[in-house]
Amino acid sequence: MASRLLKASDIMSKEVVIAHPDMSLVEVARLMNQFRIGGVPVMAEGELVGAVTERTIMQKVVEADIQPSKVFIKDIMVPPKITVGLDEDVNAIARRMAKEDVTRVFVCDDGKLAGIITNKDVLKHSHEQLNILIEQAKIKGPQLHQQYTAYGKCERCGTNTHLLLKEEMFICKDCFGQL
């Protein structure tokens, strides 16, 4: 019996925390901290107009040494790198995420934001995606030796936490230190 391919609509989160262009960075940072998320879509008049991520904040605010309370989202948001449709295959989404080096994609239906898929969603729902992330980590090379590359269940002890790649396994910091 052939298994049904997972689609974006099968794994996306439908409840999405959003930002508006006129919000301050401080307001958005509070939301990101409150909901423990690394990025938000930016919506204006019901349309997806951009995204703000931890990386965006680091590059456009921290690195530029700008005071966060003086920054508005419209000034730092970036275009969303990837949007997908409800019926797009999860394997294809994972490959695009790896190729574009992103940790979230926005799911749109008829031009409207319908949900979000993060790398954690992909990992939760498909073992095949783990191989793609391993390949991505190998391509990035040895600089990832001490950097977190994923979030999920440690393949050695089973703890849910940030994970490091070592010897083709995603493991937690404690297990990493024991190897």
Side-chain angles (χ1 to χ4, degrees), residues 55 101 133 136-151 161-166 169-173 176:
R55 185 182 303 172
D101 193 24
L133 289 175
Q136 181 183 16
K138 284 181 186 175
I139 290 168
K140 288 184 178 180
Q143 74 269 19
L144 289 179
H145 183 68
Q146 294 271 344
Q147 294 179 356
Y148 293 115
T149 60
Y151 184 90
T161 187
H162 292 280
L163 303 172
L164 300 159
L165 178 67
K166 184 165 186 177
M169 292 188 334
F170 283 103
I171 56 176
C172 67
K173 184 178 177 183
F176 186 92

Side-chain angles (χ1 to χ4, degrees), residues 110-124:
D110 200 23
K112 301 290 182 193
L113 184 66
I116 189 170
I117 296 174
T118 66
N119 55 352
K120 289 192 284 186
D121 297 320
V122 172
L123 285 172
K124 257 193 300 193

